[in-house]
Amino acid sequence: MSAKILVVDDEPQIRRMMRATLSSNGYQVDEAKTGEEALEKLRSYQPDLVLLDLNMPGMGGIEACRAMREGSDVPIIILTVRNAEKEKVEALDAGADDYVSKPFGMQELMARIRAALRRIPGATEGAPHSFASDDLEIDFDGRRVRVNDKSVRLTPKEFDLLRHLVAHGGKPVPHRELLQAVWGPDYGDETDYLRVFINHLRKKIEPDPSRPKYVLTEPWVGYRFHIPEDS
Amino acid sequence: MPEVVQEDLCALRSKSPRDCRSNTVRVVRSGNQNDFVFKLRVQHSVPALSKRMHPHRTSASGLDGRLTRRLRWARLRYIEYGTVSRTLQAAIRLVSSVALVGAIIFVYYRVVPANSVTVALTLVLAILGVAARWGYAESIAASIAGMLGLDYFFLPPIGKLTISDPENWVALAAFLVTAVTASELSVRARHRAAETIARRQEVERLYALGQTLLLSGSVRSAARDIVNSIIRTFEMPGAVFFNQLTGEFFRSDVRGSISDEQLRRVAETGEPLIDAHAQIAIVPIRLGGQSSGSLGFVGCTLSEAALNALAYLVAIGIERAKTIEETNKAEAARQSEVLKATLLDALAHDLKTPLTSIKGAVTHLLAKPHDAEELELLTIANEEADRLNRLVVEVLEMARIDASKLHPDRAPHSIMDIIQATLKEQEESLKGRKIELHVPPALPAADVDFDFIQQVLKQLLDNATNYSLPGAPLTISAQAEGERIVVSVADEGKGIPVDEQARIFDKFYRGRAWREKVLGTGLGLSIAKGIVEAHGGKIWVTSAPGEGSVFSFAVPAFKGELVS
């Protein structure tokens, strides 16, 4: 069963090109012309991945991305003509998994799509199956997280990031290694991705995100998962 | 009396009698039609004329050199009007006050007989009235007449100007002293009242001027309004405003009595110039110690306090107009910036969208097996799509730099990190070249936008590879120089002729020898320059033909403490 991709773009020629190239690469494709239509298709078509244009009339890409994130953890790749750092962070902050600027080479896009669809296999050798402390429970096999006995929804990338940090049991993980483990071998320099995702993660699992006790920053190196003494 | 002067007198009487009151000048004409002779008797005004002409006889042609024809006539009119009215009126008033005293004495002597005390008190009352109504001279005349009358008709021996009883000497002296003192007090009160009225009038006029100024929209129209309304509300013969910021002079129709030089000097020194003889006053227009010009008055009758208030008011008015003008300009500039940014974004979108379809389609096809010919054509299409995209990006970037819309997101970054990231990105084009790195390990962090500086470095590397032989080595070095970090890229190419070195950072400039050989827009180096300058740094090249070129840029080092 091949993955289903929803292409959201207001430009008909781009939708045509994307449909042809993606189908040829073995994906199933559906299209949406606006942000509103994309939300509709997210329910009816149930895509495995969304390619989302930022610059659309009506509900813009950022807004659509945020709305999709409210009810779904589907991977979202932003495709945009804008290439400013500020916009990239804004898109990732709105819940996007990746960001590709137009025009792009098809090989690059395919690599990004594969990375977004890829899941780290559930139980790698030596990796923990679960983690529990006073206020945080993680079930790695079931991909479930509970904070203070309340279920918390993490996006696949956030979950994989958390798992990779926990798997290193308190040792710092360098930026590059984290990026390649979670996004794929083509990544490594996108430290801004990590910054945004770690922030999301802290907001979801830390009791006080501004003073994290689990996900700690190792200056100039990377991040590490701190296991509290009493757990 | 000259006929022309008579005519002008009539016109003047209806206009401004106030200004004529204090002048007493006699003008007569003798000799032929064009030869006026001035004989001046000046009481206490028109000092300009008195100084220059009194007591000499001056011909009209001689006068021309010193006064404009217009001004001369204006003054003549004042003078003439004053002559007739003042002397005549003063004589009438003197006679009337003495007559009043005579009437009172007549009534008490012939009609209602009364004792000397009643007469004396009635006379004092009348003299007080005269002093209050007319002035000191009239009341003194009345006092003396009263004293003589009292002595002659009511104090024994009656009918003689002698006094028999020494007590009556005291009474008469008391009468005179009382009358004179009371007159003096009354005159003083009258002067004070007149002064109060004058001050009130000044305040009212300042208020009217303030209102005019509040309605002026721009500095130019404010300056014009100031001059016009000063002449109108203060009834001055002329005024001139010097706007120091623009160097403009706004004059009413009296040219020449205040020179541009005088106005400029007052504006520069801030010292007011009040010349009572020339009847001109120039005050500086300053607000908060900053000079914005000066204001000159011709035929000025204002008090110094009023002049200062007026100058202050004008300063506020000009400042206000300036602020409004600047606000409007800033708003227009802001709107134009917004429009430009919107246009740029729309352009970026509209150019890049078709490029995205082309690039997507071509790269997809390129991934499939093709024969050599198809592969070659698809590669060309792909490269040209890239080139077109680069062009769009560069033009947009240049437009952003021109519109000062480039805002580097500065943070402490290691130059070594930026160099390494750039080298990794340029791996393909640098293949086969030896890259030498000279970066000291203890180099302080640079306070820069990582991506922007990477772009500058990439541009310099592109340049070095494009303009040197394939495989020739490149050297990248970085070092701290004071509070700056200097990064250089050196190649061993042909070098840049001296006459081209200055122009190499100009927009669209491309080296003569390479125009045909290297593809490009000629924008790369000017964009690099724009980026470095947006960081407060500078970029330069040193080169000698045959010895290669060294492109260097300096950016600020990070000054604060590094915190994670």
Side-chain angles (χ1 to χ4, degrees):
Chain A
M1 178 76 186
S2 57
K4 294 194 283 185
I5 297 180
L6 177 64
V7 176
V8 188
D9 202 307
D10 60 323
E11 293 286 339
Q13 291 292 68
I14 290 200
R15 291 200 305 273
R16 256 175 84 190
M17 182 273 289
M18 296 291 275
R19 182 183 275 281
T21 52
L22 291 172
S23 311
S24 157
N25 276 286
Y27 295 105
Q28 296 181 54
V29 181
D30 200 356
E31 302 168 10
K33 289 187 270 300
T34 62
E36 290 86 347
E37 198 185 338
L39 288 174
E40 177 64 38
K41 286 270 168 79
L42 190 66
R43 274 189 294 277
S44 58
Y45 182 63
Q46 300 271 330
D48 298 307
L49 181 107
V50 178
L51 295 177
L52 180 63
D53 179 32
L54 273 194
N55 208 345
M56 288 184 294
M59 182 193 248
I62 294 281
E63 212 181 318
C65 184
R66 225 171 259 135
M68 282 188 218
R69 263 294 162 263
E70 272 169 27
S72 158
D73 55 13
V74 62
I76 300 172
I77 299 178
I78 299 286
L79 303 180
T80 174
V81 293
R82 296 182 196 149
N83 194 19
E85 190 63 23
K86 205 180 93 213
E87 315 233 344
K88 194 191 277 186
V89 171
E90 193 186 6
L92 294 175
D93 234 3
D97 293 81
D98 208 343
Y99 185 100
V100 178
S101 52
K102 291 177 179 175
F104 45 80
M106 223 10 109
Q107 304 319 310
E108 189 200 349
L109 183 65
M110 289 306 158
R112 303 280 183 138
I113 290 174
R114 280 194 297 276
L117 288 172
R118 143 185 195 274
R119 290 282 184 277
I120 296 175
T124 45
E125 226 172 294
H129 295 277
S130 68
F131 169 85
S133 71
D134 315 347
D135 48 10
L136 178 64
E137 278 172 58
I138 311 170
D139 169 8
F140 288 111
D141 298 331
R143 296 183 83 87
R144 272 191 298 272
V145 177
R146 290 175 76 80
V147 174
N148 286 328
D149 284 336
K150 265 182 241 148
S151 181
V152 171
R153 192 215 300 264
L154 297 187
T155 67
K157 284 278 174 276
E158 287 163 4
F159 191 86
D160 291 344
L161 199 58
L162 181 60
R163 171 157 56 190
H164 201 80
L165 287 171
V166 177
H168 281 72
K171 284 199 283 289
V173 187
H175 295 128
R176 178 172 288 272
E177 187 189 324
L178 262 180
L179 278 163
Q180 290 185 341
V182 177
W183 274 269
D186 295 333
Y187 294 77
D189 297 320
E190 293 83 353
T191 43
D192 43 351
Y193 281 34
L194 281 180
R195 215 164 45 235
V196 174
F197 277 80
I198 292 285
N199 266 343
H200 288 174
L201 204 52
R202 282 178 179 155
K203 272 185 204 147
K204 289 179 181 177
I205 67 165
E206 294 281 0
D208 178 2
S210 60
R211 259 175 307 201
K213 70 177 206 187
Y214 293 114
V215 182
L216 305 186
T217 305
E218 283 289 321
W220 304 101
V221 178
Y223 297 93
R224 104 186 137 90
F225 189 82
H226 175 69
I227 301 164
E229 300 285 310
D230 51 356
S231 64
Chain B
M1 189 159 292
E3 275 171 27
V4 185
V5 174
Q6 280 287 16
E7 269 173 34
D8 284 333
L9 261 180
C10 296
L12 193 75
R13 197 167 289 138
S14 60
K15 263 192 198 161
S16 178
R18 198 177 63 85
D19 295 319
C20 311
R21 228 174 273 152
S22 55
N23 308 334
T24 308
V25 180
R26 180 176 285 281
V27 178
V28 289
R29 194 186 72 181
S30 70
N32 63 50
Q33 196 72 22
N34 295 319
D35 193 10
F36 288 99
V37 175
F38 296 84
K39 203 158 131 201
L40 304 160
R41 184 160 57 81
V42 178
Q43 230 175 20
H44 57 263
S45 192
V46 205
L49 283 178
S50 73
K51 193 184 177 192
R52 283 174 182 164
M53 294 178 255
H54 179 74
H56 311 291
R57 287 161 177 248
T58 313
S59 73
S61 52
L63 200 65
D64 260 336
R66 279 175 274 167
L67 292 169
T68 64
R69 187 179 295 272
R70 212 193 149 76
L71 191 62
R72 189 183 71 214
W73 278 114
R75 290 206 171 146
L76 279 178
R77 288 174 214 157
Y78 285 171
I79 294 157
E80 197 52 39
Y81 178 74
T83 314
V84 176
S85 61
R86 258 198 85 81
T87 34
L88 202 67
Q89 278 177 6
I92 290 170
R93 286 200 302 251
L94 270 177
V95 170
S96 307
S97 17
V98 173
L100 180 67
V101 169
I104 291 167
I105 287 171
F106 177 78
V107 168
Y108 280 127
Y109 189 67
R110 282 286 163 90
V111 188
V112 214
N115 62 16
S116 57
V117 176
T118 313
V119 179
L121 284 175
T122 312
L123 283 175
V124 167
L125 265 180
I127 289 162
L128 272 180
V130 168
R133 182 73 186 85
W134 288 325
Y136 200 55
E138 288 82 354
S139 70
I140 294 292
S143 301
I144 292 166
M147 187 194 73
L148 294 175
L150 198 63
D151 180 22
Y152 193 83
F153 292 103
F154 295 97
L155 297 181
I158 289 165
K160 279 190 178 160
L161 277 177
T162 53
I163 287 163
S164 53
D165 190 349
E167 263 181 44
N168 285 338
W169 273 114
V170 177
L172 207 58
F175 169 79
L176 191 63
V177 169
T178 310
V180 169
T181 312
S183 299
E184 210 174 73
L185 289 175
S186 170
V187 166
R188 217 180 279 169
R190 196 171 69 107
H191 276 167
R192 212 165 289 153
E195 210 165 275
T196 310
I197 290 169
R199 291 292 94 81
R200 201 191 62 213
Q201 215 167 21
E202 280 179 357
V203 170
E204 279 170 3
R205 287 167 172 186
L206 283 171
Y207 176 71
L209 181 69
Q211 278 186 320
T212 316
L213 284 176
L214 275 181
L215 296 175
S216 304
S218 68
V219 175
R220 271 192 84 83
S221 70
R224 236 185 347 257
D225 289 349
I226 286 165
V227 171
N228 286 338
S229 64
I230 283 173
I231 293 175
R232 203 175 52 243
T233 48
F234 291 90
E235 291 170 11
M236 274 186 206
V240 45
F241 175 71
F242 166 52
N243 185 348
Q244 200 180 18
L245 302 174
T246 58
E248 283 173 298
F249 293 89
F250 296 86
R251 288 179 179 277
S252 66
D253 49 9
V254 282
R255 228 196 138 71
S257 41
I258 294 180
S259 72
D260 293 358
E261 194 38 54
Q262 282 173 314
L263 287 160
R264 231 181 244 127
R265 204 169 45 237
V266 170
E268 274 160 19
T269 59
E271 291 291 318
L273 177 99
I274 296 172
D275 187 340
H277 287 292
Q279 263 217 319
I280 58 168
I282 308 174
V283 286
I285 303 297
R286 300 185 152 242
L287 200 64
Q290 208 188 351
S291 170
S292 53
S294 55
L295 190 58
F297 308 93
V298 181
C300 176
T301 55
L302 289 174
S303 67
E304 206 178 320
L307 275 179
N308 285 337
L310 195 108
Y312 191 58
L313 193 66
V314 167
I316 292 173
I318 290 288
E319 190 61 30
R320 180 188 156 279
K322 208 164 76 186
T323 310
I324 290 178
E325 223 170 61
E326 274 164 12
T327 312
N328 288 347
K329 253 186 225 157
E331 178 59 20
R334 198 188 64 79
Q335 277 177 2
S336 133
E337 279 302 308
V338 169
L339 185 69
K340 215 182 260 174
T342 315
L343 274 174
L344 283 178
D345 272 0
L347 192 69
H349 186 255
D350 287 356
L351 288 173
K352 282 188 172 188
T353 299
L355 268 176
T356 305
S357 305
I358 295 168
K359 174 89 183 163
V362 170
T363 50
H364 175 74
L365 289 178
L366 264 175
K368 299 183 170 210
H370 293 283
D371 61 37
E373 188 191 328
E374 281 169 345
L375 194 66
E376 172 70 357
L377 293 176
L378 283 171
T379 306
I380 291 171
N382 187 32
E383 282 172 4
E384 291 303 276
D386 283 344
R387 185 175 157 207
L388 209 50
N389 183 46
R390 254 196 326 273
L391 182 68
V392 171
V393 169
E394 283 183 358
V395 168
L396 286 173
E397 219 150 59
M398 201 64 238
R400 281 208 183 94
I401 288 170
D402 283 348
S404 309
K405 281 191 69 70
L406 201 69
H407 305 300
D409 183 12
R410 290 162 73 168
H413 288 292
S414 145
I415 285 291
M416 194 61 192
D417 285 356
I418 301 179
I419 293 174
Q420 266 161 355
T422 319
L423 288 177
K424 187 171 185 299
E425 210 181 276
Q426 302 287 94
E427 231 165 17
E428 194 63 31
S429 61
L430 292 172
K431 210 177 262 177
R433 278 182 197 265
K434 187 175 160 241
I435 312 282
E436 226 175 286
L437 274 179
H438 296 293
V439 182
L443 192 69
D447 186 21
V448 294
D449 183 309
F450 193 101
D451 291 344
F452 277 140
I453 294 303
Q454 186 177 349
Q455 194 183 338
V456 173
L457 205 53
K458 177 177 171 290
Q459 181 60 47
L460 297 189
L461 284 174
D462 269 352
N463 253 53
T465 49
N466 285 341
Y467 297 96
S468 65
L469 292 171
L474 302 178
T475 309
I476 304 175
S477 46
Q479 67 203 66
E481 276 183 15
E483 291 185 337
R484 306 184 313 171
I485 292 177
V486 178
V487 184
S488 306
V489 176
D491 64 49
E492 292 177 8
K494 285 189 174 174
I496 303 158
V498 178
D499 62 319
E500 286 194 31
Q501 287 179 20
R503 303 188 54 198
I504 203 155
F505 294 103
D506 288 354
K507 257 181 267 179
F508 303 110
Y509 186 80
R510 309 196 51 215
R512 280 191 296 271
W514 300 90
R515 258 167 235 177
E516 307 302 322
K517 296 175 199 158
V518 179
L519 298 175
T521 52
L523 281 174
L525 282 178
S526 33
I527 289 171
K529 180 168 180 260
I531 291 176
V532 170
E533 282 171 359
H535 282 81
K538 66 173 208 165
I539 190 166
W540 67 95
V541 63
T542 47
S543 176
E547 290 173 22
S549 316
V550 184
F551 281 87
S552 311
F553 63 91
V555 285
F558 184 71
K559 278 193 210 121
E561 289 274 306
L562 283 179
V563 281
S564 59

